[in-house]
Amino acid sequence: TDSAGISSQTPLPAPLLPPVAEALAAAARMEGVGWVFPPPAGRSSGVVVLFYPAALVDVESYSVLAMHLAQLGHAVVLLSTTEFAIQDPKGALARAAAEAARAKLGLPLPKIILAGNSMGALAAMQALQASQFGADEALPMSEIHGLGLLASRASPVNEGGMDLSTCGVRATLVTATEDRALDSKKLQENLHLLPKNLTHVSIVGGN
């Protein structure tokens, strides 16, 4: 690891925008998992956000968001994949990432928030469902304290046969009014399948 805290064996996309490079300088690479952004010393909230990226989006693109969350005291793990789109139907990736973060950050029992963007949001929902059903590879439900869905059409909940309405965790869904990929009608039809304790934030004019 070099002086900036980035593994010298991990090539980064070039050129990196200055904010991305600055954010990654505060992170560390966990082999087979992704990037971990620790909170400032002495300011940990005990929360670990496991973030699944969208399909065909460089995971480093979320580094500025991760850095800001870390500055608020929440550790963030940006999960990486070599596949077209990240998936986690058995919750195994979430559990491996949580255990790796726990060991690296010294958190005995962190509060896990599953989050994702677009198809990554589907992966987060898959991991939550696996925990809800008690899958051996998944995290215990007692460790999951939230679900965050960014630019998710929510239709995968219906198409994938998922019903998270009774899982008991708090959830936040963020959409944008100018998102051309968003089917507003289908979104409304499927909202009842998301956790009952749901906050829906719609960004007016956003795409």
Side-chain angles (χ1 to χ4, degrees):
T1 304
D2 60 22
S3 59
I6 301 176
S7 172
S8 59
Q9 298 178 347
T10 305
L12 298 178
L16 285 173
L17 294 174
V20 175
E22 178 185 351
L24 289 176
R29 180 77 174 176
M30 292 193 298
E31 190 65 32
V33 176
W35 293 95
V36 59
F37 292 74
R43 289 176 52 192
S44 174
S45 66
V47 170
V48 175
V49 180
L50 304 182
F51 192 91
Y52 299 79
L56 298 179
V57 177
D58 289 332
V59 68
E60 290 82 7
S61 301
Y62 302 96
S63 59
V64 176
L65 170 62
M67 180 183 69
H68 285 304
L69 289 174
Q71 290 173 344
L72 293 174
H74 315 312
V76 181
V77 179
L78 297 181
L79 301 168
S80 61
T81 179
T82 57
E83 305 298 328
F84 166 77
I86 197 166
Q87 297 188 53
D88 201 5
K90 296 182 179 180
L93 182 55
R95 183 165 187 165
E99 291 178 350
R102 180 182 300 145
K104 188 169 188 64
L105 301 173
L107 298 175
L109 194 62
K111 300 175 182 178
I112 303 297
I113 294 178
L114 301 171
N117 172 214
S118 190
M119 291 300 292
L122 171 59
M125 289 187 281
Q126 288 176 332
L128 177 55
Q129 180 178 248
S131 293
Q132 184 180 14
F133 289 165
D136 292 338
E137 301 94 330
L139 286 165
M141 273 300 296
S142 60
E143 294 186 18
I144 300 177
H145 290 252
L147 176 69
L149 308 174
L150 305 184
S152 171
R153 288 170 286 171
S155 57
V157 179
N158 189 33
E159 294 167 1
M162 284 186 280
D163 185 348
L164 305 175
S165 61
T166 61
C167 69
V169 304
R170 305 174 77 176
T172 299
L173 169 65
V174 180
T175 58
T177 59
E178 302 302 317
D179 183 352
R180 296 183 180 181
L182 178 68
D183 185 332
S184 299
K185 181 179 179 181
K186 183 164 283 189
L187 172 68
Q188 293 302 320
E189 290 174 350
N190 294 325
L191 283 180
H192 71 282
L193 296 171
L194 293 176
K196 290 181 179 179
N197 194 349
L198 173 69
T199 299
H200 181 193
V201 178
S202 180
I203 302 174
V204 179
N207 61 10

